[in-house]
Amino acid sequence: MASHAQTADDSDDDMDGFMERFKKEKYSNAFSEDNWEEEFNKVPMFMKTAPEDIDPLKHPELAAIQSIIHDDDRPLGEQAQSLKDEGNEYFKERNYKKAIVSYTAGLQKKCSDCNVNAVLHTNRAAAHFHLGNMRSALNDAVAAKKFKPDHLKALIRGATCCLELKKYTDALQWCEEGLKLQPTDKKLLELRAAADKHKRVAERDARKAKVQEKKERSEREALLAAIKVSRNVKIKTSVLYNLDGLCSTEATGARVFLGEQGIIYWPVLFLYPEHQQTDFISAFSESSSFLDHLSHMFGEELPPWDTDRKYSFKNLQVFFEDEERESLHQVNPETTLLKTLQHKRYFVKAGTPSFIILVKGSPFFLNNLQHPL
């Protein structure tokens, strides 16, 4: 008893002495107002984020914790559980990439605990989901369900991923499986309602698209008949263009179309090779002449690139190129577009008739000029 009392007294004396010294001597490692948050972040219990690389010399406590987590001598189930917990910490920090690494390491332990494996897959699915990796997230949800068919979180995650991937029928199936287990689950009920709504909208849009496609095909066939049969206009088709040769390659997306009065309107390209310039007419009526457009385009106001002021509509000539003969054919500006397109040497290419515009007397065509239309 005396010995115990003496020990207690010594302890009290020592504590009293420590407190006396504490009053007189300044603690060299004390936190200040400026650095207390930084110092707290060095303590594992208070860390907001873990360092990317744990140096045993700088962070001995963290290194010790890490060695416990990755201790290969422990049972596989414990190792997988520790890695799952590690992944959860990264997940809470929104460091989803590192969370995926931890969950993957846990799955690689191949422990026999189906529940742990299911949770690892489900948690990794959540991390993939937050990174936008929907297909990877869905694959993990499928794997989790194989380990534990009644794992509700896996079923919710699978339904959510399918909804994001617009697999509405699959999403409904995931919801139904989950609702068999929890008929009143709020999240599953919301997902099922959303999937059903989107599915009906998608089916409606698909029906509309099918009707529209049929309508466009019919109009296209009528247009082709009007061009090739009624007007005897030759269209050059190639694997470089679409099957019927009517697809315009212009950036405007303008296309030939049949108007309400049975008049065909073409996208037409004017080329000015002397100045390396172009003009694009999106709807050139087949009944209009070249002069109709040129008089408007080159009337009182001439283009800024015509520094010599030569491109007056009265001073212009129109040509089309015969690629096979490598020659130019002159077109009377008062000729209609239709008559020009019906010329035996003219072929419409890529759905856009093109013509060369030159000033009278230009040396550009003198050696290749053919008879005018």
Side-chain angles (χ1 to χ4, degrees):
M1 182 70 81
S3 176
H4 177 76
Q6 183 64 44
T7 303
D9 291 340
D10 291 343
S11 176
D12 290 341
D13 290 342
D14 289 341
M15 181 58 71
D16 289 340
F18 172 78
M19 294 302 295
E20 285 299 322
R21 291 194 303 274
F22 187 75
K23 293 177 182 178
K24 298 176 182 178
E25 300 175 7
K26 185 176 180 180
Y27 180 45
S28 60
N29 294 322
F31 293 171
S32 68
E33 292 182 2
D34 297 328
N35 74 345
W36 71 269
E37 288 185 298
E38 179 182 346
E39 293 297 328
F40 258 57
N41 199 45
K42 294 179 181 178
V43 182
M45 181 179 295
F46 303 111
M47 279 185 174
K48 294 180 179 179
T49 58
E52 292 292 327
D53 297 312
I54 298 176
D55 186 342
L57 296 178
K58 293 182 179 179
H59 306 284
E61 301 91 346
L62 284 176
I65 294 172
Q66 190 180 50
S67 66
I68 293 173
I69 293 174
H70 300 280
D71 182 8
D72 292 338
D73 293 333
R74 293 180 301 145
L76 294 177
E78 289 186 17
Q79 294 181 49
Q81 181 69 37
S82 296
L83 288 163
K84 183 208 75 171
D85 295 339
E86 181 185 67
N88 289 352
E89 291 303 315
Y90 284 127
F91 190 95
K92 291 175 184 176
E93 296 170 7
R94 298 185 180 181
N95 193 338
Y96 302 120
K97 290 183 178 180
K98 296 202 75 172
I100 289 171
V101 172
S102 296
Y103 295 139
T104 301
L107 289 165
Q108 289 173 345
K109 296 299 179 182
K110 299 186 183 299
C111 73
S112 58
D113 191 327
C114 291
N115 185 62
V116 171
N117 288 325
V119 173
L120 282 166
H121 273 296
T122 304
N123 289 3
R124 191 171 70 174
H128 275 304
F129 182 87
H130 284 284
L131 289 174
N133 304 330
M134 297 304 162
R135 294 192 181 279
S136 296
L138 180 58
N139 290 337
D140 268 322
V142 172
K145 190 172 68 166
K146 289 180 180 178
F147 278 110
K148 191 178 180 184
D150 61 347
H151 190 39
L152 197 64
K153 284 189 177 181
L155 296 170
I156 292 173
R157 182 61 60 201
T160 305
C161 290
C162 286
L163 194 59
E164 291 292 326
L165 291 168
K166 299 182 180 181
K167 296 183 174 183
Y168 305 124
T169 301
D170 292 344
L172 288 171
Q173 185 176 345
W174 281 86
C175 290
E176 293 303 328
E177 289 185 44
L179 289 170
K180 287 180 182 178
L181 301 171
Q182 292 288 343
T184 59
D185 186 86
K186 184 179 179 181
K187 183 63 177 178
L188 283 171
L189 290 171
E190 290 176 353
L191 287 170
R192 184 176 68 176
D196 182 62
K197 177 182 177 181
H198 285 297
K199 182 174 180 286
R200 285 186 280 108
V201 170
E203 289 173 346
R204 181 200 64 194
D205 291 344
R207 289 193 298 270
K208 285 184 176 180
K210 191 173 182 179
V211 171
Q212 182 64 24
E213 182 184 358
K214 185 177 180 181
K215 178 184 177 183
E216 290 177 358
R217 190 186 306 116
S218 177
E219 291 175 349
R220 201 167 187 79
E221 290 173 354
L223 177 60
L224 276 171
I227 292 172
K228 293 182 176 181
V229 180
S230 301
R231 290 161 175 79
N232 194 29
V233 173
K234 296 170 289 299
I235 298 174
K236 187 173 183 179
T237 58
S238 166
V239 293
L240 296 176
Y241 317 123
N242 70 332
L243 293 178
D244 54 34
L246 293 182
C247 180
S248 173
T249 58
E250 293 302 317
T252 61
R255 300 179 66 174
V256 56
F257 66 94
L258 186 64
E260 294 181 357
Q261 303 300 321
I263 297 174
I264 294 178
Y265 294 84
W266 293 87
V268 172
L269 187 65
F270 282 173
L271 308 171
Y272 311 101
E274 290 179 306
H275 293 273
Q276 297 183 339
Q277 298 290 330
T278 61
D279 272 324
F280 183 73
I281 303 169
S282 60
F284 195 134
S285 169
E286 63 180 356
S287 60
S288 297
S289 69
F290 293 92
L291 193 59
D292 291 336
H293 288 276
L294 292 175
S295 60
H296 176 73
M297 298 162 64
F298 297 94
E300 297 180 0
E301 186 176 347
L302 299 182
W305 46 261
D306 180 20
T307 55
D308 294 332
R309 320 310 289 167
K310 293 181 179 180
Y311 276 71
S312 168
F313 75 94
K314 296 179 181 180
N315 198 33
L316 298 180
Q317 293 179 309
V318 182
F319 303 86
F320 70 79
E321 184 180 8
D322 183 346
E323 293 183 357
E324 184 178 338
R325 295 183 178 179
E326 297 182 350
S327 61
L328 297 178
H329 289 262
Q330 187 173 359
V331 179
N332 186 336
E334 296 182 0
T335 304
T336 65
L337 177 62
L338 176 57
K339 185 176 180 182
T340 306
L341 297 182
Q342 291 173 331
H343 188 275
K344 62 181 180 180
R345 302 301 305 168
Y346 195 89
F347 289 85
V348 176
K349 184 173 66 175
T352 305
S354 59
F355 300 92
I356 296 172
I357 310 297
L358 295 171
V359 176
K360 290 179 180 178
S362 170
F364 187 86
F365 65 92
L366 291 178
N367 295 329
N368 298 311
L369 183 63
Q370 301 294 315
H371 296 292
L373 294 178

